[in-house]
Amino acid sequence: RDGACKTVLLTADNAISLLRVLCETVPASLDQINDMALIPFLVSFFKVADRLPATLVQTAGQFLHTLTDENAAAKRALLDHSDAVDVLCGVVRATQLGAASADDTAIVRMLAGAVLMNIKDMAIERLEDMDDAPVEEARIWEDMTRAVLQVVAGFIAFDSHETAARALQLATAPPPTDIVTGPEPSAQEAELNRLGARLDYVQMALELAANIFTDEGATDADAAAIDETVQTADEDAGSDASDDEMAGAGSDDEDVDSDGDSDKEADQDKDTDFDENDMNEILGNETVAAREAEAAVQQSVLGLFIDTILPPLLHLAEPTAAALATAGNDDDARIASVAADFAALHERALACFNNFLLVVEESLRPWFTAHGDSVAKWWHVLVAVAERVLSAGPPADAILDPVIGCMWTLARGVGGAVPATPEHIEGLMHVARTAATPGLRSKAVGVLGTVARRQPGFVDTNRRIGLFLVDDVVGASLHAFVQGERVAVEPVAEALDLLFDIYGDAAYDYDAPVFVGEALLPRLRQMYAPMRRLAKSVDRRTRRRLRDRCDLAAQNLRAFIEYKAAERRGA
Protein backbone atom coordinates (compact mmCIF):
# COMPACT_ATOMS: atom_id res chain seq x y z
CA ARG A 1 0.00 0.00 0.00
CA ASP A 2 2.81 2.42 0.82
CA GLY A 3 4.41 1.66 -2.51
CA ALA A 4 1.18 2.35 -4.38
CA CYS A 5 0.70 5.63 -2.49
CA LYS A 6 4.24 6.68 -3.30
CA THR A 7 3.63 5.90 -6.99
CA VAL A 8 0.48 8.00 -7.04
CA LEU A 9 2.20 10.95 -5.41
CA LEU A 10 5.19 10.69 -7.73
CA THR A 11 2.89 10.51 -10.76
CA ALA A 12 1.02 13.59 -9.60
CA ASP A 13 4.30 15.46 -9.06
CA ASN A 14 5.56 14.56 -12.54
CA ALA A 15 2.26 15.44 -14.22
CA ILE A 16 2.08 18.87 -12.52
CA SER A 17 5.73 19.59 -13.33
CA LEU A 18 5.14 18.70 -16.97
CA LEU A 19 2.16 21.02 -17.22
CA ARG A 20 4.09 23.85 -15.56
CA VAL A 21 7.00 23.49 -17.98
CA LEU A 22 4.53 23.41 -20.87
CA CYS A 23 2.87 26.57 -19.58
CA GLU A 24 6.22 28.36 -19.25
CA THR A 25 7.79 27.27 -22.54
CA VAL A 26 4.78 27.10 -24.88
CA PRO A 27 2.59 30.18 -24.32
CA ALA A 28 0.18 29.00 -27.00
CA SER A 29 -0.78 26.10 -24.70
CA LEU A 30 -2.17 28.43 -22.02
CA ASP A 31 -5.72 28.45 -23.40
CA GLN A 32 -5.85 24.66 -23.47
CA ILE A 33 -4.48 24.49 -19.92
CA ASN A 34 -7.09 27.03 -18.77
CA ASP A 35 -9.81 24.84 -20.32
CA MET A 36 -8.62 21.91 -18.20
CA ALA A 37 -10.05 23.67 -15.10
CA LEU A 38 -7.09 22.71 -12.92
CA ILE A 39 -7.63 25.33 -10.20
CA PRO A 40 -9.68 23.10 -7.82
CA PHE A 41 -7.17 20.29 -8.31
CA LEU A 42 -4.18 22.49 -7.45
CA VAL A 43 -5.91 24.17 -4.50
CA SER A 44 -6.70 20.75 -3.06
CA PHE A 45 -3.01 20.17 -2.36
CA PHE A 46 -2.96 23.22 -0.08
CA LYS A 47 -6.06 21.99 1.75
CA VAL A 48 -4.17 18.94 2.99
CA ALA A 49 -0.68 20.46 2.94
CA ASP A 50 0.00 19.13 6.43
CA ARG A 51 -0.57 15.52 5.27
CA LEU A 52 1.33 15.52 1.98
CA PRO A 53 5.04 15.58 1.22
CA ALA A 54 6.11 19.20 1.23
CA THR A 55 7.84 18.80 -2.14
CA LEU A 56 4.55 17.78 -3.79
CA VAL A 57 2.72 20.79 -2.35
CA GLN A 58 5.59 22.98 -3.53
CA THR A 59 5.27 21.57 -7.05
CA ALA A 60 1.53 22.34 -7.05
CA GLY A 61 2.24 25.80 -5.66
CA GLN A 62 4.81 26.55 -8.32
CA PHE A 63 2.36 25.63 -11.06
CA LEU A 64 -0.49 27.61 -9.48
CA HIS A 65 1.80 30.62 -9.19
CA THR A 66 2.88 30.31 -12.82
CA LEU A 67 -0.69 29.77 -13.99
CA THR A 68 -2.05 32.88 -12.24
CA ASP A 69 0.77 35.15 -13.38
CA GLU A 70 -0.64 37.54 -16.00
CA ASN A 71 -3.47 35.10 -16.74
CA ALA A 72 -6.86 36.73 -16.21
CA ALA A 73 -8.81 33.52 -16.80
CA ALA A 74 -6.92 31.64 -14.10
CA LYS A 75 -7.23 34.58 -11.69
CA ARG A 76 -11.00 34.65 -12.16
CA ALA A 77 -11.23 30.89 -11.71
CA LEU A 78 -9.28 31.07 -8.47
CA LEU A 79 -11.35 33.95 -7.08
CA ASP A 80 -14.57 32.18 -8.08
CA HIS A 81 -13.50 29.02 -6.29
CA SER A 82 -15.57 28.71 -3.13
CA ASP A 83 -12.78 28.60 -0.56
CA ALA A 84 -9.49 28.95 -2.45
CA VAL A 85 -8.60 32.35 -0.97
CA ASP A 86 -9.40 31.20 2.57
CA VAL A 87 -7.32 28.05 2.10
CA LEU A 88 -4.31 29.97 0.78
CA CYS A 89 -4.59 32.60 3.52
CA GLY A 90 -4.68 29.84 6.10
CA VAL A 91 -1.49 28.32 4.71
CA VAL A 92 0.27 31.69 4.79
CA ARG A 93 -0.68 32.11 8.45
CA ALA A 94 0.39 28.58 9.40
CA THR A 95 3.59 28.25 11.40
CA GLN A 96 4.02 24.51 10.84
CA LEU A 97 2.70 22.11 8.21
CA GLY A 98 2.67 18.56 9.53
CA ALA A 99 6.11 17.03 9.72
CA ALA A 100 7.63 19.39 7.15
CA SER A 101 10.88 21.11 8.02
CA ALA A 102 10.99 24.82 8.78
CA ASP A 103 12.40 25.55 5.33
CA ASP A 104 9.80 23.41 3.53
CA THR A 105 7.01 25.01 5.54
CA ALA A 106 8.29 28.50 4.69
CA ILE A 107 8.47 27.61 0.98
CA VAL A 108 4.87 26.36 0.92
CA ARG A 109 3.69 29.46 2.81
CA MET A 110 5.62 31.70 0.43
CA LEU A 111 4.14 30.00 -2.65
CA ALA A 112 0.63 30.40 -1.24
CA GLY A 113 1.39 34.08 -0.63
CA ALA A 114 2.80 34.52 -4.12
CA VAL A 115 -0.42 33.13 -5.62
CA LEU A 116 -2.47 35.52 -3.47
CA MET A 117 -0.36 38.46 -4.63
CA ASN A 118 -1.01 37.41 -8.24
CA ILE A 119 -4.77 37.68 -7.77
CA LYS A 120 -4.84 40.61 -5.35
CA ASP A 121 -5.28 43.27 -8.03
CA MET A 122 -8.36 41.55 -9.46
CA ALA A 123 -9.77 40.93 -5.98
CA ILE A 124 -9.43 44.61 -5.07
CA GLU A 125 -11.06 45.64 -8.36
CA ARG A 126 -14.03 43.42 -7.54
CA LEU A 127 -14.34 44.99 -4.11
CA GLU A 128 -14.19 48.51 -5.57
CA ASP A 129 -16.99 47.63 -8.00
CA MET A 130 -19.25 46.57 -5.12
CA ASP A 131 -21.44 49.27 -3.59
CA ASP A 132 -21.47 47.76 -0.12
CA ALA A 133 -18.16 45.89 0.02
CA PRO A 134 -17.21 45.12 3.65
CA VAL A 135 -14.21 47.06 4.86
CA GLU A 136 -12.90 43.86 6.39
CA GLU A 137 -12.49 42.30 2.94
CA ALA A 138 -9.99 44.94 1.83
CA ARG A 139 -8.29 44.76 5.22
CA ILE A 140 -7.72 41.03 4.73
CA TRP A 141 -5.68 41.71 1.60
CA GLU A 142 -3.63 44.42 3.31
CA ASP A 143 -2.90 42.13 6.24
CA MET A 144 -2.00 39.31 3.88
CA THR A 145 0.54 41.51 2.09
CA ARG A 146 2.28 42.15 5.38
CA ALA A 147 2.08 38.47 6.30
CA VAL A 148 3.71 37.46 3.01
CA LEU A 149 6.53 39.96 3.52
CA GLN A 150 7.09 38.52 7.00
CA VAL A 151 7.33 35.01 5.53
CA VAL A 152 9.78 36.24 2.90
CA ALA A 153 11.87 38.04 5.52
CA GLY A 154 12.16 34.91 7.61
CA PHE A 155 13.04 32.73 4.63
CA ILE A 156 15.83 34.93 3.26
CA ALA A 157 17.38 35.49 6.71
CA PHE A 158 20.08 32.85 6.64
CA ASP A 159 23.87 32.80 6.63
CA SER A 160 24.67 32.77 2.94
CA HIS A 161 28.41 32.62 3.62
CA GLU A 162 28.06 29.49 5.72
CA THR A 163 25.77 27.94 3.10
CA ALA A 164 28.23 28.81 0.34
CA ALA A 165 31.09 27.26 2.26
CA ARG A 166 29.11 24.05 2.71
CA ALA A 167 28.11 23.96 -0.97
CA LEU A 168 31.71 24.49 -2.03
CA GLN A 169 32.84 21.76 0.35
CA LEU A 170 30.34 19.32 -1.18
CA ALA A 171 31.28 20.32 -4.73
CA THR A 172 35.01 19.87 -4.18
CA ALA A 173 34.84 16.68 -2.11
CA PRO A 174 35.70 13.47 -3.99
CA PRO A 175 32.69 11.24 -4.69
CA PRO A 176 32.14 8.43 -2.17
CA THR A 177 33.72 5.11 -3.16
CA ASP A 178 31.64 2.78 -0.97
CA ILE A 179 28.41 3.01 -2.97
CA VAL A 180 27.24 1.42 -6.19
CA THR A 181 26.56 3.87 -8.98
CA GLY A 182 22.87 3.94 -9.87
CA PRO A 183 19.96 6.22 -10.71
CA GLU A 184 19.67 7.48 -7.14
CA PRO A 185 22.01 10.39 -6.24
CA SER A 186 24.50 9.94 -3.46
CA ALA A 187 23.92 11.65 -0.12
CA GLN A 188 26.52 14.23 -1.14
CA GLU A 189 24.77 15.00 -4.42
CA ALA A 190 21.35 15.01 -2.78
CA GLU A 191 22.45 17.63 -0.24
CA LEU A 192 24.00 19.75 -2.98
CA ASN A 193 20.76 19.52 -4.97
CA ARG A 194 18.76 20.60 -1.91
CA LEU A 195 21.01 23.62 -1.42
CA GLY A 196 20.61 24.58 -5.08
CA ALA A 197 16.83 24.25 -4.85
CA ARG A 198 16.77 26.43 -1.73
CA LEU A 199 18.74 29.13 -3.52
CA ASP A 200 16.20 29.05 -6.34
CA TYR A 201 13.40 29.63 -3.84
CA VAL A 202 15.37 32.43 -2.20
CA GLN A 203 15.61 34.14 -5.58
CA MET A 204 11.87 33.70 -5.99
CA ALA A 205 11.34 35.22 -2.54
CA LEU A 206 13.44 38.24 -3.48
CA GLU A 207 11.48 38.70 -6.69
CA LEU A 208 8.21 38.45 -4.76
CA ALA A 209 9.36 41.08 -2.24
CA ALA A 210 10.47 43.40 -5.04
CA ASN A 211 7.13 43.05 -6.82
CA ILE A 212 5.15 43.71 -3.65
CA PHE A 213 7.11 46.86 -2.89
CA THR A 214 6.86 48.08 -6.49
CA ASP A 215 3.09 47.64 -6.46
CA GLU A 216 2.35 48.86 -2.95
CA GLY A 217 5.38 50.48 -1.35
CA ALA A 218 4.78 54.00 -2.67
CA THR A 219 1.30 54.84 -1.43
CA ASP A 220 -0.09 58.35 -1.12
CA ALA A 221 -0.19 57.90 2.67
CA ASP A 222 3.51 57.09 2.77
CA ALA A 223 4.37 60.13 0.65
CA ALA A 224 2.23 62.43 2.78
CA ALA A 225 3.75 61.11 5.99
CA ILE A 226 7.28 61.50 4.68
CA ASP A 227 6.59 65.06 3.47
CA GLU A 228 5.26 65.87 6.94
CA THR A 229 8.42 64.50 8.55
CA VAL A 230 10.73 66.42 6.22
CA GLN A 231 8.75 69.64 6.55
CA THR A 232 8.85 69.46 10.33
CA ALA A 233 12.56 68.73 10.30
CA ASP A 234 13.19 71.70 8.03
CA GLU A 235 11.09 73.97 10.24
CA ASP A 236 12.96 72.83 13.35
CA ALA A 237 16.31 73.35 11.64
CA GLY A 238 15.34 76.84 10.55
CA SER A 239 13.70 78.00 13.78
CA ASP A 240 16.87 79.42 15.31
CA ALA A 241 17.72 81.36 12.16
CA SER A 242 14.18 82.71 11.98
CA ASP A 243 14.32 83.85 15.60
CA ASP A 244 17.59 85.64 14.91
CA GLU A 245 16.13 87.42 11.89
CA MET A 246 13.10 88.51 13.90
CA ALA A 247 15.29 89.81 16.69
CA GLY A 248 17.44 91.71 14.24
CA ALA A 249 14.43 93.27 12.62
CA GLY A 250 13.12 94.38 16.00
CA SER A 251 16.43 96.09 16.83
CA ASP A 252 16.37 98.05 13.57
CA ASP A 253 12.82 99.23 14.24
CA GLU A 254 13.78 100.43 17.70
CA ASP A 255 16.64 102.50 16.25
CA VAL A 256 14.46 104.15 13.63
CA ASP A 257 11.47 104.81 15.89
CA SER A 258 13.34 105.72 19.06
CA ASP A 259 11.76 109.15 19.12
CA GLY A 260 8.21 107.85 18.60
CA ASP A 261 5.29 107.45 20.95
CA SER A 262 6.45 105.34 23.89
CA ASP A 263 2.93 104.26 24.88
CA LYS A 264 2.27 102.98 21.37
CA GLU A 265 5.52 101.04 21.46
CA ALA A 266 4.56 99.52 24.79
CA ASP A 267 1.21 98.33 23.43
CA GLN A 268 2.96 96.95 20.37
CA ASP A 269 5.50 95.12 22.50
CA LYS A 270 2.69 93.66 24.58
CA ASP A 271 0.98 92.29 21.45
CA THR A 272 4.12 90.84 19.93
CA ASP A 273 5.91 89.84 23.11
CA PHE A 274 7.68 86.46 22.76
CA ASP A 275 5.95 83.84 24.94
CA GLU A 276 8.35 80.98 25.72
CA ASN A 277 5.51 78.69 26.76
CA ASP A 278 3.76 79.24 23.42
CA MET A 279 6.94 78.48 21.50
CA ASN A 280 7.54 75.31 23.51
CA GLU A 281 4.00 74.22 22.74
CA ILE A 282 4.53 74.85 19.02
CA LEU A 283 7.82 72.96 18.96
CA GLY A 284 6.25 70.15 20.94
CA ASN A 285 3.39 69.86 18.46
CA GLU A 286 5.84 69.75 15.57
CA THR A 287 7.85 67.01 17.25
CA VAL A 288 4.69 65.00 17.88
CA ALA A 289 3.65 65.46 14.25
CA ALA A 290 7.04 64.24 13.05
CA ARG A 291 6.84 61.18 15.31
CA GLU A 292 3.31 60.41 14.14
CA ALA A 293 4.36 60.74 10.50
CA GLU A 294 7.32 58.44 11.05
CA ALA A 295 5.06 55.97 12.86
CA ALA A 296 2.67 55.99 9.88
CA VAL A 297 5.55 55.11 7.59
CA GLN A 298 6.76 52.35 9.89
CA GLN A 299 3.30 50.76 9.88
CA SER A 300 3.12 50.83 6.08
CA VAL A 301 4.55 48.42 3.50
CA LEU A 302 7.49 50.81 3.14
CA GLY A 303 8.29 50.59 6.84
CA LEU A 304 7.88 46.82 6.89
CA PHE A 305 10.16 46.46 3.88
CA ILE A 306 12.83 48.65 5.46
CA ASP A 307 12.70 46.93 8.84
CA THR A 308 12.29 43.28 7.86
CA ILE A 309 13.46 42.83 4.25
CA LEU A 310 16.43 45.17 3.84
CA PRO A 311 18.67 43.76 6.62
CA PRO A 312 18.74 40.17 5.27
CA LEU A 313 18.64 41.49 1.71
CA LEU A 314 21.84 43.48 2.15
CA HIS A 315 23.44 40.45 3.78
CA LEU A 316 22.59 38.37 0.69
CA ALA A 317 24.14 41.08 -1.50
CA GLU A 318 27.54 40.50 0.12
CA PRO A 319 29.55 38.28 -2.27
CA THR A 320 30.42 34.87 -0.91
CA ALA A 321 33.74 33.17 -1.49
CA ALA A 322 31.97 30.55 -3.61
CA ALA A 323 30.67 33.20 -6.01
CA LEU A 324 33.99 35.02 -6.37
CA ALA A 325 36.82 32.54 -5.94
CA THR A 326 35.34 30.04 -8.38
CA ALA A 327 33.50 32.40 -10.72
CA GLY A 328 34.16 31.33 -14.29
CA ASN A 329 35.79 28.04 -13.24
CA ASP A 330 34.77 25.44 -15.82
CA ASP A 331 37.22 22.74 -14.68
CA ASP A 332 34.55 21.01 -12.64
CA ALA A 333 30.87 21.18 -13.52
CA ARG A 334 29.77 21.03 -9.89
CA ILE A 335 32.09 23.86 -8.84
CA ALA A 336 30.98 25.98 -11.78
CA SER A 337 27.34 25.29 -10.91
CA VAL A 338 27.83 26.36 -7.28
CA ALA A 339 29.61 29.53 -8.41
CA ALA A 340 26.81 30.35 -10.84
CA ASP A 341 24.10 29.70 -8.23
CA PHE A 342 25.61 32.04 -5.65
CA ALA A 343 26.51 34.70 -8.21
CA ALA A 344 22.88 34.65 -9.35
CA LEU A 345 21.76 34.97 -5.72
CA HIS A 346 23.88 38.08 -5.18
CA GLU A 347 22.71 39.58 -8.46
CA ARG A 348 19.08 38.99 -7.53
CA ALA A 349 19.56 40.53 -4.09
CA LEU A 350 21.17 43.62 -5.60
CA ALA A 351 18.42 43.85 -8.22
CA CYS A 352 15.80 43.71 -5.45
CA PHE A 353 17.61 46.47 -3.54
CA ASN A 354 17.87 48.58 -6.69
CA ASN A 355 14.15 48.09 -7.26
CA PHE A 356 13.50 49.45 -3.76
CA LEU A 357 15.76 52.44 -4.42
CA LEU A 358 14.06 53.15 -7.75
CA VAL A 359 10.61 53.24 -6.15
CA VAL A 360 11.81 55.55 -3.37
CA GLU A 361 13.61 57.77 -5.90
CA GLU A 362 10.53 58.09 -8.07
CA SER A 363 7.74 58.40 -5.52
CA LEU A 364 9.18 58.85 -2.04
CA ARG A 365 12.30 60.93 -2.55
CA PRO A 366 11.75 63.02 0.64
CA TRP A 367 12.38 59.81 2.58
CA PHE A 368 16.04 60.07 1.54
CA THR A 369 16.17 63.60 2.94
CA ALA A 370 14.72 62.48 6.25
CA HIS A 371 17.07 59.48 6.55
CA GLY A 372 20.52 60.62 5.54
CA ASP A 373 22.07 58.15 7.98
CA SER A 374 20.52 55.23 6.09
CA VAL A 375 21.71 56.64 2.78
CA ALA A 376 25.27 56.86 4.11
CA LYS A 377 25.13 53.33 5.49
CA TRP A 378 23.84 51.89 2.21
CA TRP A 379 26.47 53.76 0.23
CA HIS A 380 29.25 52.25 2.33
CA VAL A 381 27.70 48.77 2.02
CA LEU A 382 27.64 49.09 -1.76
CA VAL A 383 31.21 50.39 -1.85
CA ALA A 384 32.36 47.43 0.24
CA VAL A 385 30.60 45.00 -2.11
CA ALA A 386 32.10 46.70 -5.16
CA GLU A 387 35.60 46.60 -3.70
CA ARG A 388 35.33 42.91 -2.93
CA VAL A 389 33.99 42.12 -6.40
CA LEU A 390 36.74 44.18 -8.05
CA SER A 391 39.34 42.23 -6.12
CA ALA A 392 38.05 39.04 -7.76
CA GLY A 393 38.79 40.26 -11.28
CA PRO A 394 36.78 40.39 -14.54
CA PRO A 395 34.90 37.08 -14.08
CA ALA A 396 32.85 38.76 -11.32
CA ASP A 397 31.66 41.64 -13.52
CA ALA A 398 28.19 40.11 -13.56
CA ILE A 399 27.90 40.98 -9.87
CA LEU A 400 29.63 44.35 -10.23
CA ASP A 401 27.06 45.58 -12.75
CA PRO A 402 24.07 45.62 -10.34
CA VAL A 403 26.28 47.03 -7.57
CA ILE A 404 27.17 50.08 -9.66
CA GLY A 405 23.54 50.32 -10.73
CA CYS A 406 22.46 50.54 -7.08
CA MET A 407 25.09 53.22 -6.41
CA TRP A 408 23.77 55.25 -9.34
CA THR A 409 20.15 55.01 -8.19
CA LEU A 410 21.07 55.92 -4.63
CA ALA A 411 23.13 58.90 -5.76
CA ARG A 412 20.31 60.16 -7.99
CA GLY A 413 17.83 59.87 -5.14
CA VAL A 414 19.80 62.33 -3.00
CA GLY A 415 21.01 64.64 -5.75
CA GLY A 416 24.56 63.35 -5.50
CA ALA A 417 24.76 63.91 -1.74
CA VAL A 418 26.37 60.57 -0.93
CA PRO A 419 29.52 60.29 1.22
CA ALA A 420 31.78 59.63 -1.75
CA THR A 421 35.45 59.90 -0.78
CA PRO A 422 38.29 60.60 -3.23
CA GLU A 423 39.09 56.88 -3.07
CA HIS A 424 35.54 55.99 -4.02
CA ILE A 425 35.69 58.37 -6.95
CA GLU A 426 38.98 56.93 -8.17
CA GLY A 427 37.50 53.44 -7.95
CA LEU A 428 34.51 54.45 -10.04
CA MET A 429 36.84 56.04 -12.58
CA HIS A 430 38.73 52.75 -12.78
CA VAL A 431 35.47 50.95 -13.58
CA ALA A 432 34.54 53.59 -16.16
CA ARG A 433 37.90 53.08 -17.88
CA THR A 434 38.32 49.32 -17.71
CA ALA A 435 34.94 47.56 -17.36
CA ALA A 436 34.38 44.88 -19.94
CA THR A 437 30.94 46.05 -21.09
CA PRO A 438 29.82 49.49 -22.32
CA GLY A 439 26.76 49.22 -20.08
CA LEU A 440 28.83 48.86 -16.92
CA ARG A 441 31.14 51.67 -17.96
CA SER A 442 28.11 53.88 -18.59
CA LYS A 443 26.72 53.14 -15.13
CA ALA A 444 30.03 54.10 -13.52
CA VAL A 445 30.00 57.32 -15.55
CA GLY A 446 26.43 57.88 -14.35
CA VAL A 447 27.42 57.59 -10.69
CA LEU A 448 30.31 60.01 -11.17
CA GLY A 449 28.21 62.55 -13.05
CA THR A 450 25.53 62.47 -10.36
CA VAL A 451 28.07 62.93 -7.54
CA ALA A 452 29.60 65.86 -9.47
CA ARG A 453 26.34 67.83 -9.19
CA ARG A 454 26.54 68.07 -5.42
CA GLN A 455 26.69 71.63 -4.14
CA PRO A 456 27.55 73.90 -2.48
CA GLY A 457 31.04 73.31 -1.21
CA PHE A 458 32.23 70.42 -3.39
CA VAL A 459 34.15 72.29 -6.07
CA ASP A 460 37.21 70.04 -5.91
CA THR A 461 35.07 66.93 -6.36
CA ASN A 462 33.34 68.54 -9.32
CA ARG A 463 36.68 69.52 -10.85
CA ARG A 464 38.08 66.00 -10.60
CA ILE A 465 34.99 64.39 -12.09
CA GLY A 466 34.30 67.10 -14.67
CA LEU A 467 37.81 66.89 -16.11
CA PHE A 468 37.58 63.10 -16.14
CA LEU A 469 34.31 63.14 -18.07
CA VAL A 470 35.53 65.70 -20.59
CA ASP A 471 39.07 64.40 -21.12
CA ASP A 472 39.06 60.69 -20.30
CA VAL A 473 35.57 59.59 -21.28
CA VAL A 474 34.55 61.89 -24.14
CA GLY A 475 37.87 63.32 -25.34
CA ALA A 476 39.91 60.11 -25.25
CA SER A 477 37.14 58.10 -26.93
CA LEU A 478 36.69 60.65 -29.72
CA HIS A 479 40.45 60.82 -30.27
CA ALA A 480 40.63 57.03 -30.53
CA PHE A 481 37.71 57.04 -32.96
CA VAL A 482 39.40 59.62 -35.18
CA GLN A 483 42.50 57.40 -35.16
CA GLY A 484 40.43 54.55 -36.56
CA GLU A 485 39.95 52.56 -33.36
CA ARG A 486 36.65 51.03 -32.29
CA VAL A 487 35.21 52.73 -29.23
CA ALA A 488 32.26 52.18 -26.93
CA VAL A 489 29.67 54.80 -27.81
CA GLU A 490 27.34 54.47 -24.81
CA PRO A 491 29.70 55.96 -22.18
CA VAL A 492 30.39 58.94 -24.45
CA ALA A 493 26.69 59.72 -24.89
CA GLU A 494 26.09 59.25 -21.16
CA ALA A 495 28.97 61.54 -20.21
CA LEU A 496 27.78 64.31 -22.56
CA ASP A 497 24.23 64.15 -21.21
CA LEU A 498 25.61 64.47 -17.69
CA LEU A 499 27.88 67.38 -18.60
CA PHE A 500 24.91 69.30 -19.97
CA ASP A 501 23.18 68.95 -16.59
CA ILE A 502 26.25 69.50 -14.41
CA TYR A 503 27.21 72.79 -16.04
CA GLY A 504 23.76 73.91 -17.12
CA ASP A 505 23.73 77.07 -15.00
CA ALA A 506 26.44 79.64 -14.34
CA ALA A 507 24.99 80.17 -10.86
CA TYR A 508 26.27 76.79 -9.68
CA ASP A 509 29.14 77.35 -7.26
CA TYR A 510 31.50 75.13 -9.29
CA ASP A 511 30.70 76.58 -12.72
CA ALA A 512 33.11 79.54 -12.60
CA PRO A 513 36.12 77.77 -11.04
CA VAL A 514 35.71 74.57 -13.07
CA PHE A 515 33.86 75.10 -16.34
CA VAL A 516 35.32 78.57 -16.90
CA GLY A 517 38.55 78.23 -14.94
CA GLU A 518 39.52 74.92 -16.57
CA ALA A 519 38.50 76.15 -20.05
CA LEU A 520 36.05 73.32 -20.71
CA LEU A 521 34.15 75.25 -23.36
CA PRO A 522 37.05 75.35 -25.88
CA ARG A 523 37.59 71.63 -25.35
CA LEU A 524 33.95 70.87 -26.04
CA ARG A 525 34.06 72.98 -29.21
CA GLN A 526 36.84 70.77 -30.54
CA MET A 527 34.76 67.66 -29.80
CA TYR A 528 31.65 68.64 -31.76
CA ALA A 529 32.80 67.58 -35.23
CA PRO A 530 34.19 64.17 -34.18
CA MET A 531 31.06 63.59 -32.08
CA ARG A 532 28.90 64.05 -35.16
CA ARG A 533 31.04 61.55 -37.03
CA LEU A 534 30.87 59.09 -34.15
CA ALA A 535 27.08 59.36 -34.09
CA LYS A 536 26.85 58.68 -37.82
CA SER A 537 29.03 55.60 -37.42
CA VAL A 538 26.29 53.87 -35.42
CA ASP A 539 24.19 51.70 -37.73
CA ARG A 540 20.62 52.98 -37.61
CA ARG A 541 19.22 49.69 -38.88
CA THR A 542 20.66 47.48 -36.15
CA ARG A 543 21.06 49.95 -33.26
CA ARG A 544 18.41 52.54 -33.89
CA ARG A 545 17.89 53.55 -30.28
CA LEU A 546 21.61 54.12 -29.71
CA ARG A 547 21.88 56.01 -33.01
CA ASP A 548 19.03 58.31 -32.04
CA ARG A 549 20.63 58.93 -28.67
CA CYS A 550 24.01 59.77 -30.21
CA ASP A 551 22.40 62.08 -32.79
CA LEU A 552 20.59 63.87 -29.98
CA ALA A 553 23.79 64.12 -27.93
CA ALA A 554 25.59 65.72 -30.88
CA GLN A 555 22.75 68.20 -31.42
CA ASN A 556 22.62 69.03 -27.73
CA LEU A 557 26.39 69.48 -27.65
CA ARG A 558 26.16 72.17 -30.30
CA ALA A 559 23.27 73.89 -28.50
CA PHE A 560 25.13 73.64 -25.18
CA ILE A 561 28.26 75.24 -26.64
CA GLU A 562 26.21 78.13 -28.00
CA TYR A 563 24.34 78.49 -24.71
CA LYS A 564 27.49 78.59 -22.55
CA ALA A 565 29.18 81.02 -24.91
CA ALA A 566 26.19 83.37 -24.74
CA GLU A 567 26.05 82.91 -20.98
CA ARG A 568 29.64 84.09 -20.61
CA ARG A 569 29.09 87.06 -22.93
CA GLY A 570 26.14 88.17 -20.86
CA ALA A 571 27.98 87.76 -17.55
Side-chain angles (χ1 to χ4, degrees), residues 33-73:
I33 293 176
N34 285 337
D35 292 339
M36 295 173 67
L38 294 170
I39 295 298
F41 171 68
L42 295 173
V43 172
S44 67
F45 289 88
F46 286 95
K47 288 184 177 180
V48 290
D50 58 336
R51 286 175 282 166
L52 290 175
T55 53
L56 178 57
V57 183
Q58 291 165 11
T59 300
Q62 284 181 317
F63 183 31
L64 191 56
H65 176 250
T66 301
L67 193 59
T68 54
D69 184 25
E70 303 296 332
N71 182 358

Side-chain angles (χ1 to χ4, degrees), residues 367-369 371-380 410-411 414 417-419:
W367 189 92
F368 282 132
T369 303
H371 294 81
D373 54 340
S374 295
V375 171
K377 180 179 71 175
W378 295 340
W379 174 263
H380 288 299
L410 183 60
V414 294
V418 291

Side-chain angles (χ1 to χ4, degrees), residues 59-314:
T59 300
Q62 284 181 317
F63 183 31
L64 191 56
H65 176 250
T66 301
L67 193 59
T68 54
D69 184 25
E70 303 296 332
N71 182 358
K75 291 181 180 182
R76 282 194 296 269
L78 190 58
L79 286 171
D80 292 340
H81 191 281
S82 58
D83 59 351
V85 172
D86 291 338
V87 168
L88 293 172
C89 287
V91 171
V92 172
R93 297 190 187 100
T95 57
Q96 180 64 42
L97 296 174
S101 67
D103 275 355
D104 283 336
T105 297
I107 292 171
V108 173
R109 295 174 65 200
M110 184 177 64
L111 287 167
V115 174
L116 289 170
M117 294 302 100
N118 278 350
I119 63 174
K120 179 178 178 180
D121 56 344
M122 184 175 288
I124 296 298
E125 287 177 6
R126 289 188 176 188
L127 290 175
E128 291 174 346
D129 291 340
M130 297 172 58
D131 294 332
D132 55 348
V135 177
E136 294 77 11
E137 290 288 334
R139 185 66 184 176
I140 288 174
W141 288 102
E142 294 178 9
D143 292 343
M144 194 49 52
T145 299
R146 289 170 170 76
V148 172
L149 282 178
Q150 294 284 8
V151 173
V152 170
F155 186 64
I156 66 175
F158 69 101
D159 192 335
S160 57
H161 294 275
E162 180 179 331
T163 304
R166 177 57 180 165
L168 200 55
Q169 180 185 13
L170 292 168
T172 55
T177 58
D178 57 344
I179 62 171
V180 178
T181 303
E184 293 294 327
S186 65
Q188 176 180 318
E189 292 172 334
E191 184 179 356
L192 196 56
N193 291 339
R194 286 195 298 272
L195 289 177
R198 192 185 196 287
L199 292 184
D200 289 339
Y201 279 118
V202 171
Q203 291 193 52
M204 178 186 174
L206 294 175
E207 183 177 359
L208 176 59
N211 291 340
I212 290 175
F213 186 75
T214 300
D215 294 339
E216 306 184 38
T219 64
D220 292 339
D222 289 339
I226 291 171
D227 286 339
E228 179 77 24
T229 303
V230 174
Q231 181 180 358
T232 303
D234 290 343
E235 290 172 355
D236 289 345
S239 62
D240 292 341
S242 299
D243 291 344
D244 291 342
E245 290 176 3
M246 292 172 64
S251 298
D252 291 343
D253 289 343
E254 285 182 4
D255 292 341
V256 173
D257 300 327
S258 58
D259 296 330
D261 193 315
S262 58
D263 293 336
K264 184 177 180 180
E265 288 180 4
D267 292 339
Q268 210 169 19
D269 288 343
K270 187 181 295 183
D271 292 337
T272 61
D273 203 12
F274 176 75
D275 191 324
E276 185 174 353
N277 291 329
D278 289 344
M279 179 56 69
N280 288 335
E281 182 179 356
I282 292 172
L283 293 177
N285 291 337
E286 290 176 347
T287 302
V288 170
R291 289 174 180 170
E292 291 176 349
E294 187 65 24
V297 172
Q298 290 302 314
Q299 295 169 7
S300 68
V301 171
L302 170 64
L304 186 60
F305 195 95
I306 293 170
D307 291 340
T308 65
I309 299 295
L310 284 188
L313 176 65
L314 292 176

